[in-house]
Amino acid sequence: MSDCHGHDHTKDHTKDHEHDHCTGHGADSDAATRAAIAASGADIATLLHSCPMHPEVEQAGPGLCPDCGMALEPAVPTAAIDDTELADMTRRLRIASVLTSVVVFLAMGEMIPGVSSVVDRIGTPRLRGWMQLLFTAPVLFWAGAPLFERGIRSIIGVRFNMFTLIALGAGTAFVFSASMLLLPGLYPAALIGVEAPLYFEAAAVIITFVLVGQVLELRARSRTGEAIRTLIELQPPRVRRIRADGSDEEVEVAEVRAGDRLRVRPGERVPVDGSIETGNSHIDESMLTGEPLPVSRTTGDAVTGGTLNGSGSFIMRAERVGEDTILSAIVRAVADAQRSQAPVQRVADAVAARFVPAVVAVAAAAFATWLLLGGDQRLASAVLAAVSVLIVACPCALGLATPMSVTVAAGRGAGVGVLIRDAEAIEALAAIDTVVLDKTGTLTAGKPELDAVKTLGDLDPDTALRLTAAAERGSEHPLATAVINAARSRGLNVEEPEVFTSEPGQGVQATIAGRSLRVGNIGWLAAGGVDTAPFESLLAEETADGSGRVFVAIDHQPAAMLVVRDPLKERAASSVAALQSLGMDVWLVTGDARATAGAVAAAVGIGPDRVEAGVLPTDKAATVARLREEGRRGAMVGDGVNDAPALASADVGIAMGGGSDVSLKSATVSLVGNDIYGVVRALRLGRATMQNIRQNLAFAFGYNLLAVPIAAGALYPVLGLFLNPMIASAAMSLSSVSVITNALRLRRIDLDPEAGRAPATT
């Protein structure tokens, strides 16, 4: 079944918008619609609507899809739930149920023991027939008006869909029955038998069951949007802004501007993206990253809008607000992904395009066959078979098979920090067999840290660190940053150098409080006339683990060696193991030296024959291309900036996202958090989604292949069974609901089984 607006509501918007703004297919028409809305000064987020089954169909405002007849939905979801359509359909269903019960009682009550005498007292069969007509008419022409409206539109526009079959089936049953009452001599007795057959109850029950399906589907479909609504609701509606005089004022979050100072109290959500000015706390970022453990944040740290503050209180400076926040970017990405189509959907679309004409042909053939071979009541049998075929066929289940799974999967991924750009990426994820990993920022933290200070002679380690940090103040090298941060964290006074010179790639020379320092690699010190032989004793204590080493000479004498390491991410090794357990061939491709790359690969469980070191960004893309030429389906995982060529050339590019940036341009999949395990979640989600889609398609195809022949009367010669149109209607309605229900199972899939728990869901 499918969504449909309440009759009056649809009519209002259809007249104003549908023919003027409804686009055809393709990117050009989408762009034209968006441009027209923007030119009018209206808000695209609130006005643009699209079809959930045909996302290429867009228009300004609500209306009906010209292809499938479904009601258009907001292209950009909002936190508010519009239940107007559900309320309207529920009202129609309630009234139709009462009237249909009366019709069924009048038509079939005489076949029920103990009730037949009551029915007989009502009047003659002909009078009861007129009463059935009286009660059936409002069921069809008021309660079922939206369904008939869509069916008529589909016929006029020659874009057949499920509403075509509903209108033809229920309409045929009603017209045939009405003609029996109004024109009793119209049909020869040889065709209708002794008693004229009436199918008012079938027509009424068909419409009622379709309305039941509408209500069930509307409720089920609303659940597919819960994930994105939950994300939208993460941003608090109001926030405490600090005035210039230091006092607080409560304002709407929409009033916050970049640069504003905001107070976040314990238990409140961070309103926008920014950084902490004063205070500290532990912040729960699980709704954005999928990680359940709160993370420590203190002065200078970045915080993300939508995350939940713990027991601490802090003042933050707003930096990104409104549509520029990470949360807004996530919502847009999920909305775009939910509106996209997977390549597998093309199969369903190709079948659906020919499905309705084929069903009509089968119904006509069944009608003709039973009219010739149906015996005394052959006309009644022919009408029964034709109506059953028209009603039982359900192209909507076929059309919903892919979009529903994609919609749920996109929301599920967002709930664990995995943003999937479109449905094609989901299908590609399911086929991946090789994962290529960058090192820095992917397997390692990307933020070098001081590991040890080793000194020669009687030099104090803190003195060596203080002087080295002062010498490095003018350097932008990552190792220099690690040294300076370590000195400051120990409370050491990092002085401004009196003299400073730098040789890129080599080191620095500076004068601190009258003392000359030369800091850098061992060759840089040797080139300056420093005797480097004493450093051999310090090097002998270190293992070849790829750590960075900063050599220090003070007053031209060897003084100290600082060891700096880029630590592995907490779940790097377990993530690689999980990828390998999924059957992935895992590679490490990095621009770092062989020793560093080899040490990291060994630490996480990647074999030495799967390591390529010292490569440029373009060489990474070449490596990915070579693997593809070998027949592999590869995913490249990098930071989304210097790995952009490789991310773009891979079958799936997965960009690691830091707390301050989410790359959505070069990669087809982006990880909101910096956890490498997000790659495992993405691959598991892709596989589960494609399995779910195949299940839905198999059910939709299998249902029709089985139901249509039975409805046509194929079992009657063998078992004497004829599918009643009422049963056909119930089966048709429930088939679509079954597809949606199966898709909703993706909300509960465990993407993190190694942890022994299901990650946070939306």
Side-chain angles (χ1 to χ4, degrees), residues 25 37 61 134 180 204 216 268 321 366 418 467 523 533 686 706 732 736:
H25 299 261
I37 294 175
L134 178 65
M180 285 290 180
L216 292 177
E268 294 181 341
V321 301
V418 177
L467 292 173
L706 179 65
M732 182 268 292
S736 295

Side-chain angles (χ1 to χ4, degrees), residues 33 61 66 87 111 130 142 152 166 189 192 198 215 219 246 258 282 298 308 315 327 369 375 406 439 579 584 652:
T33 299
M111 294 183 290
W130 280 103
W142 178 79
I152 294 171
I166 293 171
I192 63 174
L198 299 177
V215 171
R219 290 176 179 172
H282 283 78
T298 187
L308 181 63
I315 295 174
L327 182 60
T369 300
V406 169
K439 182 187 77 69
L579 289 172
M584 298 293 124
V652 175

Side-chain angles (χ1 to χ4, degrees), residues 23 29-39 44 48 58 75-76 336 339:
T23 72
S29 57
D30 289 356
T33 299
R34 292 171 181 263
I37 294 175
I44 290 180
L48 187 66
E58 292 185 338
V76 180
D336 289 342
R339 295 175 55 245

Side-chain angles (χ1 to χ4, degrees), residues 474-500:
S475 175
E476 296 181 354
H477 194 280
L479 297 186
T481 302
V483 171
I484 295 170
N485 289 340
R488 288 174 172 166
S489 68
R490 298 185 186 185
L492 303 178
N493 180 31
V494 181
E495 304 173 53
E496 186 73 29
E498 299 163 9
V499 179
F500 174 84

Side-chain angles (χ1 to χ4, degrees), residues 165 168-169 172 355-373 378-379 381-391 708 711-712:
L165 303 180
L168 289 176
T172 298
F355 185 80
V356 174
V359 169
V360 174
V362 171
F367 180 86
T369 300
W370 283 100
L371 190 63
L372 293 174
L373 307 175
R378 45 190 169 173
L379 180 58
S381 299
V383 171
L384 193 68
V387 171
S388 295
V389 169
L390 291 171
I391 295 302
V708 171

Side-chain angles (χ1 to χ4, degrees), residues 15 40 53 144 153 178 203 255 285 295 380 413 417-418 477-478 522 524 536 548 567 611 639 648 666 703 730 754:
K15 180 173 62 178
S40 68
M53 282 174 58
R153 285 179 182 274
E255 299 178 30
E285 299 180 346
V295 293
V418 177
H477 194 280
I522 198 166
W524 169 246
E536 293 180 1
V611 178
D639 62 14
S666 58
Y703 165 81
E754 284 83 5

Side-chain angles (χ1 to χ4, degrees), residues 33-91:
T33 299
R34 292 171 181 263
I37 294 175
S40 68
D43 182 9
I44 290 180
T46 57
L47 191 57
L48 187 66
H49 284 61
S50 67
C51 175
M53 282 174 58
H54 300 88
E56 70 277 6
V57 175
E58 292 185 338
Q59 75 173 46
L64 305 177
C65 175
D67 286 344
C68 64
M70 292 184 71
L72 304 182
E73 299 178 347
V76 180
T78 60
I81 301 177
D82 183 5
D83 60 355
T84 304
E85 183 181 355
L86 177 59
D88 178 72
M89 284 296 169
T90 302
R91 182 175 63 254

Side-chain angles (χ1 to χ4, degrees), residues 62-126:
L64 305 177
C65 175
D67 286 344
C68 64
M70 292 184 71
L72 304 182
E73 299 178 347
V76 180
T78 60
I81 301 177
D82 183 5
D83 60 355
T84 304
E85 183 181 355
L86 177 59
D88 178 72
M89 284 296 169
T90 302
R91 182 175 63 254
R92 294 174 186 273
L93 172 60
R94 288 172 179 168
I95 296 176
S97 299
V98 174
L99 297 176
T100 298
S101 299
V102 176
V103 175
V104 171
F105 173 78
L106 293 171
M108 308 181 69
E110 60 184 0
M111 294 183 290
I112 302 175
V115 179
S116 57
S117 58
V118 177
V119 175
D120 290 339
R121 287 198 295 269
I122 292 176
T124 64
R126 184 170 179 79

